[in-house]
Short mmCIF file of all heavy atoms in Angstrom, two decimals:
data_model
loop_
_atom_site.label_atom_id
_atom_site.label_comp_id
_atom_site.label_asym_id
_atom_site.label_seq_id
_atom_site.Cartn_x
_atom_site.Cartn_y
_atom_site.Cartn_z
N SER A 157 104.71 76.92 131.32
CA SER A 157 103.80 76.21 132.25
C SER A 157 104.24 74.79 132.50
O SER A 157 103.99 74.24 133.58
CB SER A 157 102.35 76.18 131.76
OG SER A 157 102.13 77.03 130.73
N ASN A 158 104.90 74.16 131.50
CA ASN A 158 105.35 72.77 131.69
C ASN A 158 106.74 72.67 132.30
O ASN A 158 107.33 71.59 132.34
CB ASN A 158 105.31 72.01 130.36
CG ASN A 158 103.88 71.87 129.86
OD1 ASN A 158 102.94 71.77 130.66
ND2 ASN A 158 103.70 71.90 128.55
N GLY A 159 107.31 73.81 132.67
CA GLY A 159 108.63 73.79 133.31
C GLY A 159 109.78 73.55 132.34
O GLY A 159 110.91 73.29 132.75
N ILE A 160 109.52 73.64 131.02
CA ILE A 160 110.59 73.40 130.03
C ILE A 160 111.40 74.68 129.83
O ILE A 160 112.59 74.63 129.53
CB ILE A 160 109.96 72.92 128.70
CG1 ILE A 160 109.29 71.55 128.91
CG2 ILE A 160 110.97 72.85 127.57
CD1 ILE A 160 108.36 71.15 127.79
N LEU A 161 110.77 75.80 130.01
CA LEU A 161 111.46 77.09 129.82
C LEU A 161 111.28 77.95 131.06
O LEU A 161 110.18 78.06 131.60
CB LEU A 161 110.87 77.81 128.59
CG LEU A 161 111.39 79.22 128.31
CD1 LEU A 161 112.82 79.17 127.75
CD2 LEU A 161 110.49 79.95 127.31
N SER A 162 112.39 78.56 131.48
CA SER A 162 112.29 79.51 132.59
C SER A 162 112.15 80.90 131.97
O SER A 162 112.85 81.23 131.00
CB SER A 162 113.54 79.38 133.46
OG SER A 162 113.89 80.64 133.97
N ILE A 163 111.28 81.72 132.54
CA ILE A 163 111.02 83.05 131.97
C ILE A 163 112.33 83.85 131.82
O ILE A 163 112.51 84.58 130.84
CB ILE A 163 110.00 83.82 132.84
CG1 ILE A 163 108.60 83.23 132.59
CG2 ILE A 163 110.01 85.32 132.53
CD1 ILE A 163 107.47 83.99 133.20
N ASP A 164 113.24 83.67 132.75
CA ASP A 164 114.51 84.41 132.69
C ASP A 164 115.36 84.02 131.49
O ASP A 164 116.27 84.76 131.11
CB ASP A 164 115.32 84.18 133.98
CG ASP A 164 114.60 84.78 135.19
OD1 ASP A 164 113.79 85.71 134.98
OD2 ASP A 164 114.83 84.30 136.32
N ASP A 165 115.11 82.86 130.92
CA ASP A 165 115.90 82.42 129.76
C ASP A 165 115.32 82.92 128.43
O ASP A 165 115.86 82.64 127.37
CB ASP A 165 115.99 80.88 129.71
CG ASP A 165 116.86 80.36 130.84
OD1 ASP A 165 117.73 81.13 131.31
OD2 ASP A 165 116.66 79.20 131.26
N LEU A 166 114.20 83.62 128.52
CA LEU A 166 113.61 84.14 127.28
C LEU A 166 114.21 85.51 126.98
O LEU A 166 114.18 86.41 127.81
CB LEU A 166 112.09 84.24 127.42
CG LEU A 166 111.36 84.65 126.13
CD1 LEU A 166 111.54 83.61 125.03
CD2 LEU A 166 109.88 84.88 126.40
N ASN A 167 114.79 85.61 125.80
CA ASN A 167 115.34 86.91 125.37
C ASN A 167 115.18 86.99 123.85
O ASN A 167 114.66 86.07 123.22
CB ASN A 167 116.81 87.04 125.79
CG ASN A 167 117.63 85.86 125.31
OD1 ASN A 167 117.61 85.50 124.14
ND2 ASN A 167 118.35 85.22 126.25
N LYS A 168 115.64 88.08 123.25
CA LYS A 168 115.35 88.25 121.82
C LYS A 168 116.02 87.17 120.96
O LYS A 168 115.55 86.89 119.87
CB LYS A 168 115.68 89.66 121.34
CG LYS A 168 117.11 90.06 121.46
CD LYS A 168 117.28 91.51 121.06
CE LYS A 168 118.75 91.87 121.11
NZ LYS A 168 119.00 93.27 120.77
N ASP A 169 117.13 86.58 121.44
CA ASP A 169 117.76 85.51 120.67
C ASP A 169 117.03 84.18 120.86
O ASP A 169 116.75 83.48 119.90
CB ASP A 169 119.24 85.35 121.06
CG ASP A 169 120.05 86.57 120.64
OD1 ASP A 169 119.74 87.12 119.57
OD2 ASP A 169 120.96 86.97 121.39
N SER A 170 116.72 83.83 122.12
CA SER A 170 116.06 82.54 122.35
C SER A 170 114.63 82.54 121.79
O SER A 170 114.08 81.49 121.49
CB SER A 170 116.07 82.16 123.83
OG SER A 170 115.37 83.09 124.60
N PHE A 171 114.04 83.72 121.60
CA PHE A 171 112.70 83.81 121.01
C PHE A 171 112.66 83.17 119.62
O PHE A 171 111.66 82.57 119.23
CB PHE A 171 112.29 85.29 120.92
CG PHE A 171 110.82 85.51 120.71
CD1 PHE A 171 109.94 85.63 121.79
CD2 PHE A 171 110.29 85.62 119.42
CE1 PHE A 171 108.58 85.83 121.59
CE2 PHE A 171 108.93 85.83 119.22
CZ PHE A 171 108.07 85.93 120.32
N TYR A 172 113.77 83.27 118.88
CA TYR A 172 113.83 82.69 117.52
C TYR A 172 113.49 81.20 117.51
O TYR A 172 112.94 80.69 116.54
CB TYR A 172 115.23 82.87 116.92
CG TYR A 172 115.43 84.20 116.23
CD1 TYR A 172 115.97 85.29 116.90
CD2 TYR A 172 115.08 84.37 114.89
CE1 TYR A 172 116.15 86.52 116.28
CE2 TYR A 172 115.26 85.60 114.25
CZ TYR A 172 115.80 86.66 114.95
OH TYR A 172 115.97 87.87 114.32
N LYS A 173 113.84 80.50 118.59
CA LYS A 173 113.60 79.05 118.65
C LYS A 173 112.11 78.74 118.63
O LYS A 173 111.71 77.61 118.36
CB LYS A 173 114.23 78.46 119.91
CG LYS A 173 115.72 78.55 119.88
CD LYS A 173 116.36 77.74 121.00
CE LYS A 173 117.88 77.78 120.95
NZ LYS A 173 118.47 79.04 120.49
N TYR A 174 111.29 79.72 118.95
CA TYR A 174 109.84 79.50 119.00
C TYR A 174 109.13 79.96 117.72
O TYR A 174 107.93 79.80 117.60
CB TYR A 174 109.25 80.19 120.24
CG TYR A 174 109.67 79.46 121.50
CD1 TYR A 174 110.83 79.79 122.17
CD2 TYR A 174 108.92 78.38 121.97
CE1 TYR A 174 111.24 79.10 123.30
CE2 TYR A 174 109.31 77.68 123.09
CZ TYR A 174 110.47 78.03 123.76
OH TYR A 174 110.86 77.32 124.88
N LEU A 175 109.90 80.51 116.80
CA LEU A 175 109.29 80.90 115.52
C LEU A 175 109.11 79.63 114.67
O LEU A 175 109.55 78.55 115.05
CB LEU A 175 110.17 81.94 114.83
CG LEU A 175 110.31 83.26 115.63
CD1 LEU A 175 111.34 84.18 114.97
CD2 LEU A 175 108.97 83.98 115.75
N TYR A 176 108.45 79.76 113.52
CA TYR A 176 108.21 78.56 112.70
C TYR A 176 109.52 77.85 112.35
O TYR A 176 109.59 76.63 112.32
CB TYR A 176 107.47 78.92 111.41
CG TYR A 176 106.07 79.46 111.65
CD1 TYR A 176 105.63 80.62 111.01
CD2 TYR A 176 105.18 78.80 112.50
CE1 TYR A 176 104.35 81.11 111.22
CE2 TYR A 176 103.90 79.28 112.71
CZ TYR A 176 103.49 80.44 112.07
OH TYR A 176 102.23 80.94 112.27
N GLN A 177 110.57 78.65 112.06
CA GLN A 177 111.89 78.10 111.79
C GLN A 177 112.90 78.95 112.54
O GLN A 177 112.75 80.16 112.62
CB GLN A 177 112.21 78.15 110.28
CG GLN A 177 111.27 77.32 109.41
CD GLN A 177 111.48 75.82 109.57
OE1 GLN A 177 112.45 75.35 110.20
NE2 GLN A 177 110.57 75.04 109.00
N ASP A 178 113.92 78.30 113.07
CA ASP A 178 114.95 79.02 113.80
C ASP A 178 116.04 79.44 112.81
O ASP A 178 117.00 78.71 112.58
CB ASP A 178 115.52 78.10 114.91
CG ASP A 178 116.54 78.81 115.78
OD1 ASP A 178 116.71 80.04 115.61
OD2 ASP A 178 117.16 78.14 116.62
N LEU A 179 115.85 80.62 112.20
CA LEU A 179 116.77 81.08 111.16
C LEU A 179 117.49 82.34 111.64
O LEU A 179 117.03 83.00 112.58
CB LEU A 179 115.98 81.41 109.88
CG LEU A 179 115.21 80.23 109.27
CD1 LEU A 179 114.24 80.73 108.21
CD2 LEU A 179 116.17 79.20 108.68
N ASP A 180 118.59 82.69 110.97
CA ASP A 180 119.26 83.94 111.30
C ASP A 180 118.37 85.11 110.88
O ASP A 180 117.52 84.97 110.00
CB ASP A 180 120.60 84.02 110.53
CG ASP A 180 121.62 83.04 111.09
OD1 ASP A 180 121.51 82.70 112.29
OD2 ASP A 180 122.51 82.63 110.33
N PRO A 181 118.61 86.29 111.47
CA PRO A 181 117.81 87.45 111.05
C PRO A 181 118.01 87.78 109.57
O PRO A 181 119.03 87.43 108.97
CB PRO A 181 118.35 88.58 111.94
CG PRO A 181 119.50 88.06 112.69
CD PRO A 181 119.53 86.59 112.56
N ILE A 182 117.05 88.48 109.01
CA ILE A 182 117.12 88.85 107.58
C ILE A 182 118.12 89.99 107.40
O ILE A 182 118.09 90.97 108.14
CB ILE A 182 115.73 89.29 107.08
CG1 ILE A 182 114.75 88.12 107.13
CG2 ILE A 182 115.81 89.85 105.66
CD1 ILE A 182 113.30 88.53 106.90
N ASP A 183 119.00 89.83 106.41
CA ASP A 183 119.94 90.90 106.08
C ASP A 183 119.38 91.80 104.99
O ASP A 183 119.54 93.01 105.03
CB ASP A 183 121.27 90.28 105.62
CG ASP A 183 121.89 89.46 106.71
OD1 ASP A 183 122.24 90.04 107.75
OD2 ASP A 183 122.01 88.22 106.55
N LEU A 184 118.75 91.18 103.99
CA LEU A 184 118.26 91.94 102.84
C LEU A 184 116.83 91.51 102.53
O LEU A 184 116.57 90.32 102.34
CB LEU A 184 119.16 91.67 101.62
CG LEU A 184 118.69 92.22 100.27
CD1 LEU A 184 118.61 93.75 100.29
CD2 LEU A 184 119.63 91.76 99.15
N LEU A 185 115.93 92.48 102.54
CA LEU A 185 114.53 92.21 102.20
C LEU A 185 114.19 92.89 100.87
O LEU A 185 114.35 94.10 100.73
CB LEU A 185 113.59 92.74 103.30
CG LEU A 185 112.10 92.62 102.95
CD1 LEU A 185 111.63 91.18 103.06
CD2 LEU A 185 111.25 93.51 103.85
#
Side-chain angles (χ1 to χ4, degrees):
S157 347
N158 295 328
I160 295 165
L161 175 73
S162 146
I163 286 189
D164 294 336
D165 290 335
L166 185 64
N167 54 51
K168 62 185 183 181
D169 293 324
S170 62
F171 196 90
Y172 274 94
K173 294 190 178 34
Y174 289 89
L175 297 173
Y176 295 132
Q177 298 289 350
D178 184 6
L179 299 168
D180 289 334
I182 295 169
D183 298 297
L184 172 63
L185 174 74

